[in-house]
Amino acid sequence: KQWYQRRVAITAGIVRPILSKTPEEARRGVTALYRDFYREMEWTMRSHMMDIPIATARKQLKKEFLKNKNVTDIRVIDLMVVKGRHTFDEFHQFWAQNYNIYNYFDITDTQKQKKEERSNTFLDNFYKSSD
């Protein structure tokens, strides 16, 4: 029993990093990902023909990154950077469709207009007038 307990104690203390060995390296990875997204945002919005202003998209990008500002575990940060790189590649290579990008935003003006058009049918107006 003792050799097994010692082995578990030894292996439990060793945690190998994914990409970064120090918090500074992890921070550089996050900063590089943010910078790449920020630079690519205008091209992505235009090429996908999105009706979201670039300034709004960049604000949302900042909000998404600030959601995880309190994460301190280097392995978790590296994992998030890898997932962010995959998302970046999906947007850049057109693997992600427009509705995938819209999921990151609140309802847009175009979507509001479509919703209002759907709610202004004959029966909706009829029910409103009888109230």
Side-chain angles (χ1 to χ4, degrees):
K1 270 186 166 177
Q2 290 180 357
W3 66 270
Y4 177 75
Q5 290 174 346
R6 268 188 276 145
R7 189 175 209 172
V8 169
I10 291 170
T11 57
I14 300 171
V15 178
R16 294 179 49 206
I18 296 176
L19 295 173
S20 307
K21 293 182 181 177
T22 63
E24 291 79 22
E25 284 183 39
R27 180 182 164 93
R28 274 183 278 179
V30 171
T31 306
L33 179 64
Y34 180 79
R35 186 173 47 243
D36 290 344
F37 262 114
Y38 193 86
R39 290 177 180 168
E40 189 77 13
M41 189 67 66
E42 185 173 354
W43 182 85
T44 300
M45 291 296 150
R46 288 187 183 177
S47 61
H48 283 272
M49 292 186 273
M50 311 274 302
D51 61 342
I52 299 172
I54 304 300
T56 304
R58 287 184 172 155
K59 283 180 190 174
Q60 185 62 30
L61 174 69
K62 183 177 180 180
K63 190 189 306 181
E64 290 291 323
F65 271 81
L66 288 178
K67 266 197 244 181
N68 302 310
K69 72 177 182 180
N70 296 325
V71 177
T72 56
D73 186 8
I74 296 172
R75 293 174 55 90
V76 174
I77 293 171
D78 287 343
L79 185 64
M80 288 179 175
V81 168
V82 168
K83 287 182 178 183
R85 284 277 167 212
H86 287 298
T87 304
F88 178 79
D89 289 339
E90 288 175 4
F91 291 166
H92 183 72
Q93 300 292 337
F94 282 90
W95 297 333
Q97 302 299 314
N98 287 357
Y99 61 86
N100 299 113
I101 299 172
Y102 277 125
N103 287 336
Y104 289 96
F105 299 97
D106 296 332
I107 191 165
T108 61
D109 294 334
T110 306
Q111 292 170 331
K112 286 179 188 174
Q113 288 174 354
K114 287 180 181 178
K115 191 174 184 179
E116 289 172 4
E117 288 173 5
R118 275 187 259 131
S119 67
N120 288 332
T121 62
F122 174 76
L123 287 176
D124 289 332
N125 291 334
F126 178 76
Y127 294 139
K128 288 178 188 175
S129 66
S130 64
D131 289 337

